[in-house]
Amino acid sequence: MEQNITPKRINVVDSLRGFAVVGIIIIHFLEHLNFYSFPEPTPFEQGLWDTVFYIGANKMYAIFALLFGLSCYIQHHNAEKRGEDFRLRFAWRMLLLFCWGLLDLVFFNGDILCTYAALGLLLIPLVKASDKVLLVVAAILFVQPIELYYIVKGLFDSNALPMDLGYSHLWNVCYDACANGGFIDVARAGLTTGLQINFGWAIENGRFTQTLMLFVVGMLLGRKRLFINEGNSLKFWKRAMGYAVFAFAVTQALLLSIPIDEMSPCVGKSIEIMLKAWRNFAMMTFYVGGITLLYYTASSMQKAISHLECIGKMSLSDYLIQSMVGGFIFYNWGLGLYTVSSHGISFILGIIFCFCLYFFCRFWTSHFRRGPLEELWARATHIKIRR
């Protein structure tokens, strides 16, 4: 293999992806898979909820998005080194991912795969762009331009309202299906309202621009080969962690000190979205840098972290499996445990499920090169059309 061809599998990246998947699953189980109906929590359980969400919510998805951008770079770069242009095939790959997302919506109305597929298409014009162009695009997206617009709007018009795309009533459709309906009702609700809910929520809450920014940053990290232990990559992650700690301290202090509740709704909400997005980015950077450094500098930690590789190699399969199993556990069409599963019980169920998933992934990856859905996705991506 040529030196400048990036390996298709970078073990620490698989571990990072596995770490993100486990975090996402635990959060989803706490949420009853986007079905916010719970028994009254005890103070301890409320503390557990707050802690898990503070540590993991939006940060795990951020890692997932960052690595999505990295994978995009690796696919295009290695195809280019073979003399191929992967852009059209990548567009087809995103269409296939969108179809996987539609399947996910049958079980879980909080799907992210459709959103990733749509945003992934926006990376195609950037594949051959210079590093400077990517940095400019990432910087523009990082500052949350939509929120900046609403802050300015609110400053000039005190009666201005935050963005409202008019999808909120659709939550009731999904809620009723999860609480009272059968499987067909849940599937119908997910397919007819899921796209509007997920795209609308992502746009209104800064996730849309942040996700695309993370895709672009992931491409840049891939170009610089910063997930491979060579050159100054470890020094980069040490510095990144230092900057992340500083950024976290600043954004957290601002969130605690700025009287957001006293501002106009338009300005207050946008400032809160921006600061939380920056804080979450800082925390994600600290997680990614810390795991990468531990993986490459501490042999005992590398062995422990490596247990997550099998989960990371099967992230698409993992995501669909958790939707199917989680829906069955919590929704009315299955066991309907939402009525009795408190935050504490849901957390324990999430941990148990992750352990079961680990053993399944370990077994599967020891016998097969890819996960079951990953294999289908890869075969469909590289399908040859006979003329």
Side-chain angles (χ1 to χ4, degrees):
M1 180 178 290
E2 296 181 35
Q3 180 66 25
N4 58 354
I5 292 183
T6 303
K8 291 183 178 180
R9 298 235 72 96
I10 305 173
N11 292 337
V12 69
V13 170
D14 284 327
S15 294
L16 282 165
R17 191 178 287 112
F19 173 73
V21 168
V22 169
I24 289 170
I25 289 172
I26 291 174
I27 290 169
H28 282 173
F29 268 60
L30 269 178
E31 294 177 319
H32 291 177
L33 270 76
N34 228 25
F35 179 32
Y36 282 69
S37 179
F38 318 97
E40 185 68 25
T42 65
F44 172 80
E45 289 176 327
Q46 188 59 52
L48 174 66
W49 171 285
D50 294 340
T51 301
V52 170
F53 272 76
Y54 188 83
I55 292 173
N58 298 314
K59 297 83 176 174
M60 300 299 113
Y61 272 123
I63 296 174
F64 211 57
L66 187 81
L67 301 182
F68 184 95
L70 172 68
S71 297
C72 171
Y73 162 75
I74 292 174
Q75 291 163 352
H76 283 89
H77 176 71
N78 288 348
E80 186 177 52
K81 293 302 176 183
R82 296 192 300 266
E84 303 171 8
D85 189 337
F86 194 70
R87 286 176 292 182
L88 185 59
R89 199 166 289 277
F90 183 77
W92 167 242
R93 184 173 173 82
M94 292 301 98
L95 178 60
L96 293 170
L97 182 61
F98 191 86
C99 293
W100 285 125
L102 292 178
L103 175 60
D104 191 42
L105 284 172
V106 170
F107 301 93
F108 172 41
N109 59 67
D111 167 76
I112 63 163
L113 301 180
C114 289
T115 304
Y116 276 37
L119 290 174
L121 293 174
L122 299 180
L123 294 179
I124 295 175
L126 299 173
V127 168
K128 294 184 179 295
S130 66
D131 291 353
K132 289 183 178 179
V133 170
L134 293 185
L135 280 170
V136 170
V137 171
I140 292 172
L141 294 169
F142 179 80
V143 299
Q144 294 287 345
I146 295 175
E147 306 312 323
L148 280 177
Y149 166 78
Y150 274 90
I151 289 173
V152 174
K153 181 180 179 181
L155 290 174
F156 282 93
D157 180 5
S158 59
N159 295 319
L161 297 175
M163 182 191 299
D164 183 359
L165 298 178
Y167 67 88
S168 57
H169 68 283
L170 298 176
W171 287 107
N172 293 330
V173 177
C174 292
Y175 183 91
D176 290 341
C178 293
N180 306 308
F183 175 74
I184 298 300
D185 299 303
V186 170
R188 184 187 297 112
L191 289 171
T192 56
T193 69
L195 290 178
Q196 300 98 304
I197 288 175
N198 294 319
F199 277 84
W201 185 89
I203 294 171
E204 284 186 3
N205 291 275
R207 176 74 73 83
F208 209 77
T209 44
Q210 187 188 44
T211 299
L212 184 56
M213 178 272 293
L214 289 164
F215 286 179
V216 175
V217 172
M219 292 175 65
L220 279 166
L221 294 176
R223 287 185 178 187
K224 302 301 181 183
R225 300 171 68 88
L226 290 171
F227 284 106
I228 300 173
N229 187 11
E230 62 181 28
N232 293 320
S233 61
L234 299 188
K235 185 181 293 186
F236 166 84
W237 287 115
K238 290 178 182 178
R239 289 178 178 174
M241 290 180 69
Y243 290 133
V245 171
F246 175 76
F248 169 81
V250 171
T251 52
Q252 184 63 35
L254 289 172
L255 280 167
L256 293 174
S257 60
I258 293 177
I260 292 175
D261 293 338
E262 299 175 15
M263 298 177 176
S264 68
C266 189
V267 174
K269 180 182 177 183
S270 292
I271 288 178
E272 184 177 28
I273 288 173
M274 290 174 67
L275 290 175
K276 284 186 175 180
W278 298 341
R279 183 193 66 188
N280 292 339
F281 181 80
M283 293 177 72
M284 177 221 66
T285 302
F286 186 85
Y287 294 162
V288 172
I291 292 173
T292 302
L293 285 171
L294 287 172
Y295 186 90
Y296 284 127
T297 61
S299 57
S300 59
M301 290 302 300
Q302 182 183 93
K303 185 175 181 180
I305 294 169
S306 294
H307 283 294
L308 294 168
E309 286 179 23
C310 61
I311 297 177
K313 290 178 179 178
M314 295 176 54
S315 56
L316 177 62
S317 297
D318 299 336
Y319 195 79
L320 268 293
I321 291 171
Q322 67 102 30
S323 298
M324 297 175 187
V325 174
F328 174 74
I329 290 174
F330 296 114
Y331 296 169
N332 181 71
W333 69 265
L335 299 178
L337 294 188
Y338 75 93
T339 59
V340 296
S341 184
S342 62
H343 296 338
I345 294 174
S346 299
F347 179 77
I348 293 171
L349 288 173
I351 296 294
I352 292 172
F353 176 79
C354 286
F355 271 107
C356 294
L357 185 68
Y358 164 73
F359 288 110
F360 169 69
C361 292
R362 184 175 177 178
F363 165 80
W364 191 277
T365 55
S366 67
H367 291 82
F368 303 97
R369 179 184 175 189
R370 300 186 183 94
L373 300 187
E374 285 76 8
E375 182 66 30
L376 290 173
W377 194 19
R379 287 176 180 269
T381 297
H382 295 282
I383 191 171
K384 297 185 182 297
I385 302 175
R386 296 182 179 179
R387 298 182 179 178

